[in-house]
Amino acid sequence: MTKKILIADDEDNIRRLVRLSLEDDGYELFEARDGAEALAKAREIRPDLIVLDVMMPGMIGYRVCEEVKKGSDTGHAYVLFLSARDSKSSESACLDAGGDQLMTKPFDPDDLSERVKKILG
Amino acid sequence: MGTRTSRISFRSKLILFGVVMVSVVGAPFLAIEARRPWLVLDEMIEQGFGLISGFEAGIGQEQLQQMIRFALRTAGEADEEKSDYLVWSFNLLLAGDTLPTAEEVTATLKENEVEVEDFDYQALVAAAQFWRDRFASDPDLLERCRIFKRKLITAKEGAAAFGFEIGDLYLMADDGKSFTFVLDGFEWYESTYPGMIYDVKEHGDEYWRGYLTAGPGYYTNPKYHRFGLLPKFDTDEWGTWFTIWKAAKTDAGFSVFSIDFDAAAVKEQMWRIGLTVFAGTVVLLLAIILISSRLSRNISTPINHLVAGTEAVIREDLDHVVPEVDSPEFQKPIEVFNRMIRKLKEMRELEVSYQALKDLDAMKDNFLSMVSHDLRTPMTSIKGYASILKKRTGKITPEEQKEYLDIIINESDRLTRLVNDLLDLQRLEQGRMALNFVELDLAELAAKSVESFQGAAQAKNLRLTVSSISSNPRVVVDRDRMSQIVANLLSNAIKFTPESGTIEVTVEEVNGEKGRGVKVSVRDSGIGIPADQIPSLFSRFQQVKSLDRRKQEGSGLGLALVRELINQFGGEVGVESVINQGSVFFFILWSVSAGEG
């Protein structure tokens, strides 16, 4: 069964970049442009992995992650934060919100591809 | 055990203390003063008894008894209906062998205010005859009575000369049935006659006899005057009196020498002492109350000030100063208290500035974090698309290749803009930005800016319009920076307005405190800004406090830069916003050409 990945980021260029990084690996890819949309999409498609930006309008990534992990339909999803915020505090904030992994921007597309393979493999 | 609290105020205690002290010191004085009327009375009584003794010694017992017997005899024979005439005739005969004429008698009576109805001179002559008949049988008696009366008058006058106001001195006899006058020292018209019954109306002879014979006495009416702090006196139509008497047993019964004293002097002294004591007490009490109030105020006023000061500290009013007072005991406590408030204030100020520094530090951290984020976002695209290009060389179409390169270039521009904005902001805040001021028409500039953003607006299917009035005042600003301001506002509006929305730019004239001005507004139909976030919207540091909001504001520094620049131009910026309906960002610049040329 094809794994479903939800890409949530308000920057068009970055969503596209994530898509480019993962599109050759045989996943079913979905996109969301802000927090609210990400949550709605997650409930709709029940993804295996969410690549989640932190700073999005409407609802920030932490909040989306909390809601996803709480939902009975979406709780199984693996959350990979993709954040431009650095520092230790942002890492612990990601983990506190229930996130599984954190990857900081800028990132190497190959690196992302490898990580996702490991996670979903 | 709880503490016992007293409801009696300090002032009341002081008053009580004062009253007790004055009572302790004043009571003996009061007692002495209260004794004074008694002392005066005692002295008078002593003098009175001396007078009686001297008088008694001056007459022989035989003569005395002869006169008493004569009086007792007359009591049975005289017609008491005619008592006035008997009195007058007897005493006139003592004064001379012949009676004065009727005219002389009535004149004297009138002169001395003796009221007589139908004066009957013949009755007087008849009464005189009564006495002449009685003296005829005992010729020695008349002369004896004359001597005796003179002695009485002399003794009375002597006492008066001595300073005593004596009503009269008289001799009475008691035969066991009633009291009878014998002789007195009165003038003829107010005197008595031997044998005249002493009218004791109230208590009866037996009552009086008991007192009179018990020994020397001095009260007019013992029933009323036995007790009391001060002597009391009988008052009748002629004045206030007290009487002393000395009774002695004789063969004919009792002889009673009695002196009526005028009590006015004693009474006056009593009143004077009473008033003095009363006035003194009142004055002392007033003084005690005044002094106590003053003393307690000296204590309570500074205490109240200190309480007010403590309350001020409790409600954190550290500008409070406890007023200084005269009382030396409280100067130090108040001074120390005020020093404590000042110290607390210093500590508070330190705390506040420490907190401000901490806040500033936190804001700087936030700012750095935001800047870092905003740098990383374009860098992510640059690095990512560059990697994709490198990895897929030869595998992608030329169109895709061009697209990725465009992204890299655009994001590099974005990065450059961000760095420039940062540097501009820094220069502005440090006042190091070189500005090239020129006079220009904002309507024209706004129109040009709107024109240059039409492409971006159309890409999102937004309707972007500009309206302005023709007679705008001109303003003096830096043209490039002014363009930057309008561009920042426009790009924000475009970014936050959903597809098919509208953006209206308005340039209008306003009149305010600073004269004529131009207001440029950019109204969008975007997502809006929560009211609580508006006040800090233009702040460089504050804007990144909330992660939610930062994204709404776009690339961070734009609004901070707008504010700084408008400030440099002497204008003001503002924003009004309703969630999900849109925002209006505006700035006002004041015209200098109109008023100040």
Side-chain angles (χ1 to χ4, degrees), chain A residues 10-11 13-14 16-17 20 23-24 55-60 62 84-86 105-107 109-110, chain B residues 369 372-373 376-377 379-381 383-385 387-388 391-392 403-404 407 411 414 547-548 550-551:
Chain A
D10 61 322
E11 290 275 337
N13 291 336
I14 292 177
R16 191 172 175 186
L17 184 61
L20 285 170
E23 67 184 357
D24 295 338
M55 305 240 236
M56 287 183 293
M59 186 190 292
I60 67 166
Y62 302 142
R85 304 191 81 208
D86 56 357
K105 296 175 184 174
F107 61 92
D110 288 342
Chain B
S369 161
S372 150
H373 177 276
R376 278 165 191 272
T377 300
M379 272 161 57
T380 304
S381 290
K383 180 180 173 176
Y385 285 97
S387 302
I388 297 285
K391 199 171 83 178
R392 302 190 179 180
E403 253 181 78
Y404 299 163
I407 289 173
E411 293 292 313
R414 184 175 162 188
L547 292 173
D548 267 335
R550 199 209 64 78
K551 270 300 181 186

Side-chain angles (χ1 to χ4, degrees), chain B residues 44 110 193-194 217 227 386 445 474:
Chain B
M44 289 172 86
K110 199 177 177 189
Y193 63 85
F227 307 108
L445 186 139
R474 296 167 77 83

Side-chain angles (χ1 to χ4, degrees), chain B residues 68 70-75 171-175 177-183 193-198 254 256:
Chain B
I68 289 171
F70 170 68
L72 292 175
R73 255 197 336 269
T74 310
L171 172 65
M172 277 193 290
D174 177 15
D175 63 354
K177 287 177 288 187
S178 59
F179 293 100
T180 306
F181 284 109
V182 179
L183 271 172
Y193 63 85
M196 190 179 184
I197 303 298
Y198 175 43
F254 276 99
V256 180

Side-chain angles (χ1 to χ4, degrees), chain B residues 38-73:
Chain B
W38 289 106
L39 294 175
V40 172
L41 197 62
D42 286 348
E43 198 182 339
M44 289 172 86
I45 289 164
E46 204 182 312
Q47 302 267 4
F49 283 130
L51 200 65
I52 291 171
S53 300
F55 186 75
E56 260 187 320
I59 50 170
Q61 276 298 309
E62 181 56 35
Q63 292 153 345
L64 188 64
Q65 290 196 16
Q66 189 186 358
M67 279 187 290
I68 289 171
R69 272 196 299 273
F70 170 68
L72 292 175
R73 255 197 336 269

Side-chain angles (χ1 to χ4, degrees), chain B residues 320-322 333-343:
Chain B
H320 187 92
V321 177
V322 177
I334 286 174
E335 188 197 316
V336 170
F337 194 93
N338 281 334
R339 230 162 53 213
M340 182 194 76
I341 298 184
R342 283 198 301 276
K343 195 80 195 168

